[in-house]
Amino acid sequence: MSKDNVFGVRLRAVQNEYISTRASLSYVVINWERRDIDADSSFERIKLQDCKDALNSIETVFMIRLFAVFEGILKEHIRRSHTSMRLVEDAKAVWL
Protein backbone atom coordinates (compact mmCIF):
# COMPACT_ATOMS: atom_id res chain seq x y z
CA MET A 1 0.00 0.00 0.00
CA SER A 2 1.41 3.38 -0.95
CA LYS A 3 1.88 6.05 1.69
CA ASP A 4 -0.86 8.12 0.03
CA ASN A 5 -3.25 5.20 0.50
CA VAL A 6 -2.18 4.86 4.13
CA PHE A 7 -2.93 8.53 4.69
CA GLY A 8 -6.29 8.17 2.94
CA VAL A 9 -7.10 5.16 5.12
CA ARG A 10 -6.43 7.22 8.25
CA LEU A 11 -8.66 10.06 7.09
CA ARG A 12 -11.43 7.66 6.00
CA ALA A 13 -11.25 5.96 9.39
CA VAL A 14 -12.04 9.29 11.08
CA GLN A 15 -14.86 9.85 8.59
CA ASN A 16 -16.28 6.40 9.35
CA GLU A 17 -16.03 7.05 13.10
CA TYR A 18 -17.93 10.31 12.61
CA ILE A 19 -20.66 8.65 10.54
CA SER A 20 -21.09 5.77 12.97
CA THR A 21 -21.06 8.04 16.03
CA ARG A 22 -23.61 10.40 14.49
CA ALA A 23 -25.85 7.49 13.47
CA SER A 24 -25.56 5.90 16.91
CA LEU A 25 -26.39 9.10 18.75
CA SER A 26 -29.32 9.77 16.40
CA TYR A 27 -30.61 6.27 17.02
CA VAL A 28 -30.39 6.71 20.78
CA VAL A 29 -32.13 10.11 20.73
CA ILE A 30 -34.97 8.94 18.47
CA ASN A 31 -35.58 5.73 20.39
CA TRP A 32 -35.16 7.36 23.80
CA GLU A 33 -37.89 9.83 22.89
CA ARG A 34 -40.12 6.92 21.79
CA ARG A 35 -39.26 5.14 25.02
CA ASP A 36 -38.13 2.28 22.85
CA ILE A 37 -34.59 1.83 24.07
CA ASP A 38 -33.32 -0.80 26.45
CA ALA A 39 -31.03 1.37 28.55
CA ASP A 40 -28.34 -0.54 30.38
CA SER A 41 -26.25 0.64 33.30
CA SER A 42 -24.17 2.93 31.06
CA PHE A 43 -27.23 5.17 30.78
CA GLU A 44 -27.62 5.66 34.55
CA ARG A 45 -25.66 8.94 34.64
CA ILE A 46 -26.85 10.53 31.41
CA LYS A 47 -30.05 12.18 30.33
CA LEU A 48 -31.66 12.53 26.94
CA GLN A 49 -30.40 16.12 26.77
CA ASP A 50 -26.81 14.87 27.18
CA CYS A 51 -27.23 12.75 24.04
CA LYS A 52 -28.84 15.66 22.17
CA ASP A 53 -25.97 17.94 23.20
CA ALA A 54 -23.43 15.37 22.04
CA LEU A 55 -25.25 15.03 18.73
CA ASN A 56 -25.27 18.81 18.29
CA SER A 57 -21.53 19.11 18.95
CA ILE A 58 -20.34 16.04 17.06
CA GLU A 59 -19.06 18.04 14.06
CA THR A 60 -16.82 20.14 16.29
CA VAL A 61 -15.46 17.09 18.07
CA PHE A 62 -14.65 15.32 14.83
CA MET A 63 -13.14 18.40 13.19
CA ILE A 64 -10.64 18.45 16.05
CA ARG A 65 -10.07 14.70 15.61
CA LEU A 66 -9.66 15.10 11.85
CA PHE A 67 -7.22 17.97 12.30
CA ALA A 68 -5.13 15.92 14.74
CA VAL A 69 -4.92 13.02 12.28
CA PHE A 70 -4.05 15.39 9.44
CA GLU A 71 -1.33 16.99 11.56
CA GLY A 72 0.13 13.53 12.21
CA ILE A 73 0.04 12.73 8.50
CA LEU A 74 1.78 16.00 7.71
CA LYS A 75 4.52 15.35 10.27
CA GLU A 76 5.05 11.87 8.85
CA HIS A 77 5.22 13.27 5.31
CA ILE A 78 7.84 15.83 6.35
CA ARG A 79 9.93 13.15 8.09
CA ARG A 80 9.79 10.81 5.07
CA SER A 81 9.93 13.19 2.13
CA HIS A 82 11.87 16.17 3.44
CA THR A 83 14.68 14.52 5.37
CA SER A 84 16.78 17.67 5.32
CA MET A 85 14.15 19.53 7.36
CA ARG A 86 14.49 19.43 11.11
CA LEU A 87 11.09 18.65 12.55
CA VAL A 88 10.65 19.63 16.17
CA GLU A 89 8.78 16.88 17.99
CA ASP A 90 6.18 19.26 19.40
CA ALA A 91 5.85 21.27 16.16
CA LYS A 92 2.67 23.32 16.15
CA ALA A 93 0.23 23.27 13.26
CA VAL A 94 1.09 26.86 12.37
CA TRP A 95 4.70 25.84 11.75
CA LEU A 96 3.68 22.80 9.73
Side-chain angles (χ1 to χ4, degrees), residues 51-70:
C51 292
K52 288 180 178 180
D53 293 344
L55 188 57
N56 288 333
S57 67
I58 199 71
E59 285 85 6
T60 302
V61 171
F62 274 90
M63 282 301 295
I64 294 166
R65 171 102 167 84
L66 186 61
F67 188 83
V69 169
F70 180 73

PDB file of all heavy atoms in Angstrom, residues 51-70:
ATOM      1  N   CYS A  51     -27.375  13.360  25.371  1.00  0.00           N
ATOM      2  CA  CYS A  51     -27.226  12.753  24.039  1.00  0.00           C
ATOM      3  C   CYS A  51     -27.521  13.770  22.944  1.00  0.00           C
ATOM      4  O   CYS A  51     -26.824  13.812  21.924  1.00  0.00           O
ATOM      5  CB  CYS A  51     -28.152  11.544  23.898  1.00  0.00           C
ATOM      6  SG  CYS A  51     -27.670  10.161  24.943  1.00  0.00           S
ATOM      7  N   LYS A  52     -28.535  14.608  23.149  1.00  0.00           N
ATOM      8  CA  LYS A  52     -28.836  15.656  22.169  1.00  0.00           C
ATOM      9  C   LYS A  52     -27.683  16.645  22.067  1.00  0.00           C
ATOM     10  O   LYS A  52     -27.313  17.065  20.964  1.00  0.00           O
ATOM     11  CB  LYS A  52     -30.124  16.383  22.539  1.00  0.00           C
ATOM     12  CG  LYS A  52     -31.376  15.569  22.312  1.00  0.00           C
ATOM     13  CD  LYS A  52     -32.607  16.363  22.707  1.00  0.00           C
ATOM     14  CE  LYS A  52     -33.883  15.586  22.440  1.00  0.00           C
ATOM     15  NZ  LYS A  52     -35.074  16.354  22.810  1.00  0.00           N
ATOM     16  N   ASP A  53     -27.114  17.024  23.198  1.00  0.00           N
ATOM     17  CA  ASP A  53     -25.973  17.941  23.199  1.00  0.00           C
ATOM     18  C   ASP A  53     -24.779  17.327  22.468  1.00  0.00           C
ATOM     19  O   ASP A  53     -24.103  18.007  21.688  1.00  0.00           O
ATOM     20  CB  ASP A  53     -25.568  18.320  24.620  1.00  0.00           C
ATOM     21  CG  ASP A  53     -26.619  19.170  25.332  1.00  0.00           C
ATOM     22  OD1 ASP A  53     -27.512  19.718  24.648  1.00  0.00           O
ATOM     23  OD2 ASP A  53     -26.538  19.262  26.575  1.00  0.00           O
ATOM     24  N   ALA A  54     -24.525  16.050  22.723  1.00  0.00           N
ATOM     25  CA  ALA A  54     -23.425  15.365  22.041  1.00  0.00           C
ATOM     26  C   ALA A  54     -23.672  15.327  20.536  1.00  0.00           C
ATOM     27  O   ALA A  54     -22.758  15.573  19.743  1.00  0.00           O
ATOM     28  CB  ALA A  54     -23.278  13.945  22.588  1.00  0.00           C
ATOM     29  N   LEU A  55     -24.901  15.066  20.153  1.00  0.00           N
ATOM     30  CA  LEU A  55     -25.250  15.031  18.730  1.00  0.00           C
ATOM     31  C   LEU A  55     -25.063  16.402  18.094  1.00  0.00           C
ATOM     32  O   LEU A  55     -24.564  16.515  16.974  1.00  0.00           O
ATOM     33  CB  LEU A  55     -26.695  14.551  18.562  1.00  0.00           C
ATOM     34  CG  LEU A  55     -27.181  14.274  17.154  1.00  0.00           C
ATOM     35  CD1 LEU A  55     -26.310  13.249  16.450  1.00  0.00           C
ATOM     36  CD2 LEU A  55     -28.629  13.788  17.196  1.00  0.00           C
ATOM     37  N   ASN A  56     -25.410  17.454  18.820  1.00  0.00           N
ATOM     38  CA  ASN A  56     -25.265  18.814  18.293  1.00  0.00           C
ATOM     39  C   ASN A  56     -23.810  19.271  18.200  1.00  0.00           C
ATOM     40  O   ASN A  56     -23.497  20.173  17.418  1.00  0.00           O
ATOM     41  CB  ASN A  56     -26.066  19.804  19.137  1.00  0.00           C
ATOM     42  CG  ASN A  56     -27.547  19.660  18.915  1.00  0.00           C
ATOM     43  OD1 ASN A  56     -28.000  19.237  17.856  1.00  0.00           O
ATOM     44  ND2 ASN A  56     -28.330  19.995  19.927  1.00  0.00           N
ATOM     45  N   SER A  57     -22.923  18.670  18.971  1.00  0.00           N
ATOM     46  CA  SER A  57     -21.526  19.108  18.949  1.00  0.00           C
ATOM     47  C   SER A  57     -20.604  18.124  18.238  1.00  0.00           C
ATOM     48  O   SER A  57     -19.391  18.332  18.199  1.00  0.00           O
ATOM     49  CB  SER A  57     -21.029  19.336  20.375  1.00  0.00           C
ATOM     50  OG  SER A  57     -20.971  18.115  21.072  1.00  0.00           O
ATOM     51  N   ILE A  58     -21.165  17.098  17.641  1.00  0.00           N
ATOM     52  CA  ILE A  58     -20.339  16.036  17.059  1.00  0.00           C
ATOM     53  C   ILE A  58     -19.434  16.538  15.925  1.00  0.00           C
ATOM     54  O   ILE A  58     -18.309  16.081  15.767  1.00  0.00           O
ATOM     55  CB  ILE A  58     -21.214  14.839  16.615  1.00  0.00           C
ATOM     56  CG1 ILE A  58     -20.362  13.590  16.464  1.00  0.00           C
ATOM     57  CG2 ILE A  58     -21.987  15.138  15.358  1.00  0.00           C
ATOM     58  CD1 ILE A  58     -19.878  13.035  17.760  1.00  0.00           C
ATOM     59  N   GLU A  59     -19.904  17.510  15.144  1.00  0.00           N
ATOM     60  CA  GLU A  59     -19.065  18.039  14.059  1.00  0.00           C
ATOM     61  C   GLU A  59     -17.812  18.706  14.612  1.00  0.00           C
ATOM     62  O   GLU A  59     -16.718  18.509  14.097  1.00  0.00           O
ATOM     63  CB  GLU A  59     -19.842  19.030  13.182  1.00  0.00           C
ATOM     64  CG  GLU A  59     -20.826  18.394  12.236  1.00  0.00           C
ATOM     65  CD  GLU A  59     -22.174  18.105  12.879  1.00  0.00           C
ATOM     66  OE1 GLU A  59     -22.390  18.514  14.042  1.00  0.00           O
ATOM     67  OE2 GLU A  59     -23.002  17.461  12.227  1.00  0.00           O
ATOM     68  N   THR A  60     -17.967  19.470  15.672  1.00  0.00           N
ATOM     69  CA  THR A  60     -16.820  20.144  16.289  1.00  0.00           C
ATOM     70  C   THR A  60     -15.826  19.118  16.817  1.00  0.00           C
ATOM     71  O   THR A  60     -14.616  19.234  16.590  1.00  0.00           O
ATOM     72  CB  THR A  60     -17.284  21.069  17.428  1.00  0.00           C
ATOM     73  OG1 THR A  60     -18.215  22.008  16.895  1.00  0.00           O
ATOM     74  CG2 THR A  60     -16.121  21.788  18.070  1.00  0.00           C
ATOM     75  N   VAL A  61     -16.326  18.127  17.498  1.00  0.00           N
ATOM     76  CA  VAL A  61     -15.464  17.094  18.066  1.00  0.00           C
ATOM     77  C   VAL A  61     -14.672  16.404  16.960  1.00  0.00           C
ATOM     78  O   VAL A  61     -13.451  16.216  17.068  1.00  0.00           O
ATOM     79  CB  VAL A  61     -16.294  16.068  18.864  1.00  0.00           C
ATOM     80  CG1 VAL A  61     -15.454  14.871  19.264  1.00  0.00           C
ATOM     81  CG2 VAL A  61     -16.935  16.719  20.081  1.00  0.00           C
ATOM     82  N   PHE A  62     -15.341  16.045  15.887  1.00  0.00           N
ATOM     83  CA  PHE A  62     -14.652  15.321  14.829  1.00  0.00           C
ATOM     84  C   PHE A  62     -13.790  16.219  13.953  1.00  0.00           C
ATOM     85  O   PHE A  62     -12.831  15.743  13.341  1.00  0.00           O
ATOM     86  CB  PHE A  62     -15.622  14.461  14.018  1.00  0.00           C
ATOM     87  CG  PHE A  62     -15.816  13.115  14.666  1.00  0.00           C
ATOM     88  CD1 PHE A  62     -16.810  12.920  15.600  1.00  0.00           C
ATOM     89  CD2 PHE A  62     -14.963  12.068  14.388  1.00  0.00           C
ATOM     90  CE1 PHE A  62     -16.974  11.695  16.228  1.00  0.00           C
ATOM     91  CE2 PHE A  62     -15.098  10.840  15.014  1.00  0.00           C
ATOM     92  CZ  PHE A  62     -16.109  10.652  15.935  1.00  0.00           C
ATOM     93  N   MET A  63     -14.058  17.499  13.889  1.00  0.00           N
ATOM     94  CA  MET A  63     -13.143  18.405  13.194  1.00  0.00           C
ATOM     95  C   MET A  63     -11.807  18.447  13.934  1.00  0.00           C
ATOM     96  O   MET A  63     -10.740  18.434  13.315  1.00  0.00           O
ATOM     97  CB  MET A  63     -13.736  19.815  13.085  1.00  0.00           C
ATOM     98  CG  MET A  63     -14.774  19.960  12.016  1.00  0.00           C
ATOM     99  SD  MET A  63     -14.163  19.563  10.361  1.00  0.00           S
ATOM    100  CE  MET A  63     -12.961  20.852  10.124  1.00  0.00           C
ATOM    101  N   ILE A  64     -11.870  18.469  15.249  1.00  0.00           N
ATOM    102  CA  ILE A  64     -10.640  18.447  16.051  1.00  0.00           C
ATOM    103  C   ILE A  64      -9.912  17.128  15.829  1.00  0.00           C
ATOM    104  O   ILE A  64      -8.695  17.090  15.624  1.00  0.00           O
ATOM    105  CB  ILE A  64     -10.957  18.684  17.540  1.00  0.00           C
ATOM    106  CG1 ILE A  64     -11.494  20.102  17.734  1.00  0.00           C
ATOM    107  CG2 ILE A  64      -9.734  18.415  18.415  1.00  0.00           C
ATOM    108  CD1 ILE A  64     -12.135  20.357  19.069  1.00  0.00           C
ATOM    109  N   ARG A  65     -10.653  16.044  15.843  1.00  0.00           N
ATOM    110  CA  ARG A  65     -10.065  14.705  15.611  1.00  0.00           C
ATOM    111  C   ARG A  65      -9.443  14.624  14.225  1.00  0.00           C
ATOM    112  O   ARG A  65      -8.328  14.138  14.052  1.00  0.00           O
ATOM    113  CB  ARG A  65     -11.154  13.652  15.784  1.00  0.00           C
ATOM    114  CG  ARG A  65     -10.767  12.261  15.381  1.00  0.00           C
ATOM    115  CD  ARG A  65     -10.446  11.389  16.579  1.00  0.00           C
ATOM    116  NE  ARG A  65     -10.366  10.002  16.195  1.00  0.00           N
ATOM    117  CZ  ARG A  65      -9.270   9.446  15.679  1.00  0.00           C
ATOM    118  NH1 ARG A  65      -8.191  10.163  15.496  1.00  0.00           N
ATOM    119  NH2 ARG A  65      -9.256   8.172  15.362  1.00  0.00           N
ATOM    120  N   LEU A  66     -10.155  15.113  13.218  1.00  0.00           N
ATOM    121  CA  LEU A  66      -9.658  15.099  11.845  1.00  0.00           C
ATOM    122  C   LEU A  66      -8.394  15.942  11.722  1.00  0.00           C
ATOM    123  O   LEU A  66      -7.419  15.542  11.075  1.00  0.00           O
ATOM    124  CB  LEU A  66     -10.743  15.612  10.899  1.00  0.00           C
ATOM    125  CG  LEU A  66     -10.467  15.532   9.415  1.00  0.00           C
ATOM    126  CD1 LEU A  66     -10.267  14.084   8.973  1.00  0.00           C
ATOM    127  CD2 LEU A  66     -11.621  16.153   8.640  1.00  0.00           C
ATOM    128  N   PHE A  67      -8.388  17.096  12.349  1.00  0.00           N
ATOM    129  CA  PHE A  67      -7.220  17.972  12.297  1.00  0.00           C
ATOM    130  C   PHE A  67      -6.017  17.290  12.940  1.00  0.00           C
ATOM    131  O   PHE A  67      -4.893  17.382  12.433  1.00  0.00           O
ATOM    132  CB  PHE A  67      -7.514  19.308  12.980  1.00  0.00           C
ATOM    133  CG  PHE A  67      -6.436  20.312  12.788  1.00  0.00           C
ATOM    134  CD1 PHE A  67      -6.377  21.079  11.639  1.00  0.00           C
ATOM    135  CD2 PHE A  67      -5.458  20.489  13.755  1.00  0.00           C
ATOM    136  CE1 PHE A  67      -5.354  22.008  11.446  1.00  0.00           C
ATOM    137  CE2 PHE A  67      -4.436  21.417  13.576  1.00  0.00           C
ATOM    138  CZ  PHE A  67      -4.389  22.173  12.421  1.00  0.00           C
ATOM    139  N   ALA A  68      -6.235  16.609  14.053  1.00  0.00           N
ATOM    140  CA  ALA A  68      -5.134  15.923  14.740  1.00  0.00           C
ATOM    141  C   ALA A  68      -4.547  14.823  13.854  1.00  0.00           C
ATOM    142  O   ALA A  68      -3.324  14.666  13.770  1.00  0.00           O
ATOM    143  CB  ALA A  68      -5.619  15.341  16.064  1.00  0.00           C
ATOM    144  N   VAL A  69      -5.399  14.073  13.180  1.00  0.00           N
ATOM    145  CA  VAL A  69      -4.919  13.024  12.276  1.00  0.00           C
ATOM    146  C   VAL A  69      -4.163  13.647  11.111  1.00  0.00           C
ATOM    147  O   VAL A  69      -3.089  13.181  10.728  1.00  0.00           O
ATOM    148  CB  VAL A  69      -6.088  12.140  11.788  1.00  0.00           C
ATOM    149  CG1 VAL A  69      -5.653  11.222  10.658  1.00  0.00           C
ATOM    150  CG2 VAL A  69      -6.656  11.325  12.940  1.00  0.00           C
ATOM    151  N   PHE A  70      -4.710  14.710  10.550  1.00  0.00           N
ATOM    152  CA  PHE A  70      -4.047  15.386   9.439  1.00  0.00           C
ATOM    153  C   PHE A  70      -2.682  15.922   9.858  1.00  0.00           C
ATOM    154  O   PHE A  70      -1.697  15.810   9.121  1.00  0.00           O
ATOM    155  CB  PHE A  70      -4.918  16.525   8.898  1.00  0.00           C
ATOM    156  CG  PHE A  70      -4.288  17.253   7.755  1.00  0.00           C
ATOM    157  CD1 PHE A  70      -4.204  16.670   6.509  1.00  0.00           C
ATOM    158  CD2 PHE A  70      -3.759  18.513   7.950  1.00  0.00           C
ATOM    159  CE1 PHE A  70      -3.596  17.334   5.451  1.00  0.00           C
ATOM    160  CE2 PHE A  70      -3.156  19.189   6.894  1.00  0.00           C
ATOM    161  CZ  PHE A  70      -3.074  18.598   5.650  1.00  0.00           C
TER     162      PHE A  70
END
